[in-house]
């Protein structure tokens, strides 16, 4: 009986250990960090990961890296376009170029990574894929716009990073897809919804045409 109770307590403690670590990982994801990296740390370290998480959050700083400088247009409207490989972001990109046309000044394409992926010194699939997407979309914009867009990688919480970069670099319009790469079936994805409600920069939400009502 005593042995059975001891085993039960061990399982309870182990479950609590892992749960605390995983909850910390979810919190870190909302703070702009990698869920997979912090999930692995949390499952292994349990509550011991909390001081590490606090230290990491305190050291977070705006992160940006220009990939290509691009060519500025002569128009008065500077546009920052968020891309993530989703059909909605691709459609939003084309919508912005078609809408503003000759009025376009600077056009910048940006992808947002979590802090851990952005700051890593080793190759991460997510970062490599973001760079490929920026390269592909940059080529498409060059064909449509006639000039190369600037391409930028940002690190952090997507909505916050996009708004901050747009404000700090004096963009007139921020363009995002209605739904992002996460595949939510909601009319607005989480990033689009946050920007629609909170952004201090005008936001253009676009994407593939909505289906006709049944």
């Amino acid at each position: 009986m005593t042995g059975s109770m001891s085993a039960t307590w061990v399982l309870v403690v182990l479950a609590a250990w892992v749960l605390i670590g995983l909850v910390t990982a979810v919190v870190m994801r909302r703070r702009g960090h990698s869920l997979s990296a912090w999930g692995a740390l949390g499952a292994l370290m349990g509550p011991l990961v909390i001081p590490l998480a606090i230290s990491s959050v305190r050291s977070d700083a705006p992160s940006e890296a220009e990939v290509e400088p691009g060519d500025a247009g002569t128009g008065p409207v500077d546009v920052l376009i968020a891309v993530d490989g989703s059909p909605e972001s691709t459609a939003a990109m084309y919508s912005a170029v078609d809408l503003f046309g000759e009025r376009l000044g600077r056009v910048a394409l940006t992808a947002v990574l979590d802090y851990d992926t952005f700051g890593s010194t080793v190759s991460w699939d997510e970062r490599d894929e973001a760079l490929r997407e920026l390269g592909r979309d940059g080529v498409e914009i060059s064909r449509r716009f006639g000039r190369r867009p600037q391409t930028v990688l940002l690190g952090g919480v997507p909505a916050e990073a996009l708004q901050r970069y747009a404000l700090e670099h004096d963009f007139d319009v921020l363009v995002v897809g209605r739904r992002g790469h996460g595949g939510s079936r909601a009319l607005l994805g989480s990033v689009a919804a946050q920007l629609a409600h909170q952004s201090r920069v005008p936001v253009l939400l676009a994407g593939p045409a909505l289906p006709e009502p049944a």
Side-chain angles (χ1 to χ4, degrees):
M1 184 69 177
T2 302
S4 176
M5 290 182 61
S6 298
T8 300
W9 276 109
V10 168
L11 291 175
V12 169
V13 171
L14 181 60
W17 179 280
V18 173
L19 180 61
I20 292 172
L22 294 180
V23 169
T24 303
V26 171
V27 172
M28 291 300 287
R29 179 69 185 96
R30 293 177 177 174
R31 301 285 301 187
H33 288 265
S34 169
L35 180 61
S36 59
W38 284 93
L41 278 175
L44 179 64
M45 299 179 63
L48 299 180
V49 80
I50 294 176
L52 183 62
I54 293 173
S55 175
S56 181
V57 168
R58 286 176 176 172
S59 64
D60 286 344
S63 302
E64 62 185 65
E66 184 176 73
V67 181
E68 294 288 344
D71 305 315
T74 57
V77 183
D78 295 333
V79 179
L80 178 65
I81 305 172
V83 300
D84 63 6
S86 67
E88 285 77 12
S89 75
T90 300
M93 176 179 72
Y94 288 141
S95 296
V97 175
D98 292 342
L99 176 64
F100 294 109
E102 293 301 316
R103 300 185 67 228
L104 285 170
R106 289 179 297 150
V107 176
L109 304 180
T110 182
V112 185
L113 303 173
D114 60 73
Y115 283 116
D116 308 295
T117 303
F118 182 92
S120 175
T121 57
V122 299
S123 178
W124 284 49
D125 289 343
E126 292 90 343
R127 184 169 58 195
D128 294 342
E129 180 59 27
L131 289 171
R132 284 193 293 269
E133 289 167 358
L134 286 173
R136 286 194 300 264
D137 289 341
V139 169
E140 292 301 318
I141 287 293
S142 297
R143 291 173 180 167
R144 201 146 178 160
F145 180 40
R147 288 177 289 272
R148 293 179 308 155
Q150 178 191 18
T151 52
V152 182
L153 279 178
L154 301 178
V157 181
E160 295 176 6
L162 289 168
Q163 181 180 191
R164 181 182 63 242
Y165 189 84
L167 287 169
E168 291 179 352
H169 295 269
D170 298 319
F171 282 94
D172 300 298
V173 180
L174 174 56
V175 180
V176 295
R178 285 194 304 258
R179 295 198 303 264
H181 193 64
S184 168
R185 294 185 179 274
L187 176 61
L188 296 182
S190 60
V191 175
Q194 289 178 54
L195 289 170
H197 288 92
Q198 302 172 6
S199 179
R200 293 159 55 194
V201 179
V203 177
L204 171 63
L205 300 179
L210 295 173
E212 294 293 332

